[in-house]
Amino acid sequence: MPIMPDIPQVEAAIVAQTNAFRATAKQQAVKAAPSLTKAARDYARFLAAAPIFSHEADGQRPVDRIKAAGYAPCATAENLAWRSDPRGFETLALATQMVEGWKSSPGHRKNLLMEHATETGVAIVKASREEKYFAVQLFARPSTLSFTFEVVNAASKPLTYAVGGREARIEPRIVRQHTECEPASLTFQLAPAGLVSKPVTVRHEAKPGHVYRLVADKAGKVTVEARPK
């Protein structure tokens, strides 16, 4: 008779092993969220009965399933896996096989170490007629952790800057509002004064509710004034 794993214990072990792996990369632990777990379980059940295995086997993206389960994310990731053995699986062995398989795959490993993820949902479902187990693991950061800030160009020339590595250009007398899901750095390329032609790079960490005002003095030197709105 095949060995039957304790499914809730498998799921709990996957979360524990995931957090242990995240700790080695100095990433924060993720905690189980009921709505993410529901999304994971619904899709694992679908995959266990479906003839195809993919992230969009049901015609939806992972983020669509997550939202349908009642979770409002600003960032998401999904890992899938299956394991089959006619002898069945011990509880810890099944969890370890799932996690080790993800760790050995670059894309899945990146999801395991998703930066700034705070919550997870894990589900294991057994196929009805064979010793085959499907795993769905979700990672997310809720939209409640998003924040906004503004960049104001009070200088007389267009200026360039980057938010989290994404370049932007702002025209004079323009106010631009940004909404970010994750902590982000602000990098400004500022016009120097006098005959110096090389732009000056200034970096800030974007802070919720702050305004970053670009101002020029009489000599044309541009500086950044950062303060709460």
Side-chain angles (χ1 to χ4, degrees):
M1 186 174 180
I3 301 170
M4 299 295 292
D6 182 321
I7 296 299
Q9 289 300 316
V10 174
E11 294 167 350
I14 287 175
V15 174
Q17 291 184 26
T18 295
N19 280 331
F21 183 53
R22 289 176 62 84
T24 66
K26 295 182 171 55
Q27 296 295 337
Q28 70 183 95
V30 290
K31 63 180 182 179
S35 50
L36 288 178
T37 301
K38 180 183 185 306
R41 195 168 312 286
D42 288 348
Y43 196 51
R45 286 172 177 158
F46 176 88
L47 291 174
I52 57 176
F53 181 80
S54 76
H55 290 282
E56 297 184 7
D58 63 348
Q60 298 185 82
R61 301 171 301 166
V63 67
D64 297 325
R65 295 189 291 269
I66 288 171
K67 290 179 178 179
Y71 189 97
C74 66
T76 64
E78 179 182 73
N79 282 341
L80 304 178
W82 62 266
R83 290 292 183 272
S84 179
D85 191 324
R87 298 168 298 179
F89 294 91
E90 296 284 356
T91 297
L92 185 58
L94 181 56
T96 300
Q97 285 189 34
M98 296 295 187
V99 175
E100 290 302 316
W102 289 326
K103 287 164 65 174
S104 65
S105 165
H108 296 94
R109 184 186 184 92
K110 181 179 179 182
N111 291 342
L112 286 171
L113 300 177
M114 178 180 171
E115 194 172 10
H116 305 304
T118 60
E119 296 180 309
T120 189
V122 174
I124 300 289
V125 173
K126 180 184 177 299
S128 61
R129 297 182 180 179
E130 57 182 318
E131 301 306 309
K132 185 175 184 179
Y133 293 84
F134 292 82
V136 176
Q137 180 183 49
L138 297 172
F139 296 94
R141 182 176 177 85
S143 60
T144 53
L145 294 181
S146 296
F147 65 96
T148 60
F149 62 91
E150 291 180 351
V151 177
V152 179
N153 187 1
S156 60
K157 296 180 181 180
L159 296 168
T160 60
Y161 63 100
V163 182
R166 304 185 306 276
E167 292 189 0
R169 175 185 170 93
I170 187 167
E171 299 295 326
R173 295 175 295 281
I174 293 295
V175 177
R176 178 169 293 171
Q177 185 178 85
H178 291 268
T179 299
E180 293 296 310
C181 174
E182 303 172 351
S185 61
L186 274 172
T187 305
F188 296 94
Q189 298 295 326
L190 304 180
L195 299 177
V196 180
S197 59
K198 185 178 180 180
V200 177
T201 300
V202 176
R203 293 183 175 85
H204 288 264
E205 288 300 314
K207 295 182 179 180
H210 273 54
V211 176
Y212 300 85
R213 185 178 176 87
L214 305 168
V215 296
D217 61 17
K218 293 181 180 180
K221 180 182 178 181
V222 179
T223 57
V224 182
E225 297 177 348
R227 61 187 65 177
K229 187 172 181 179

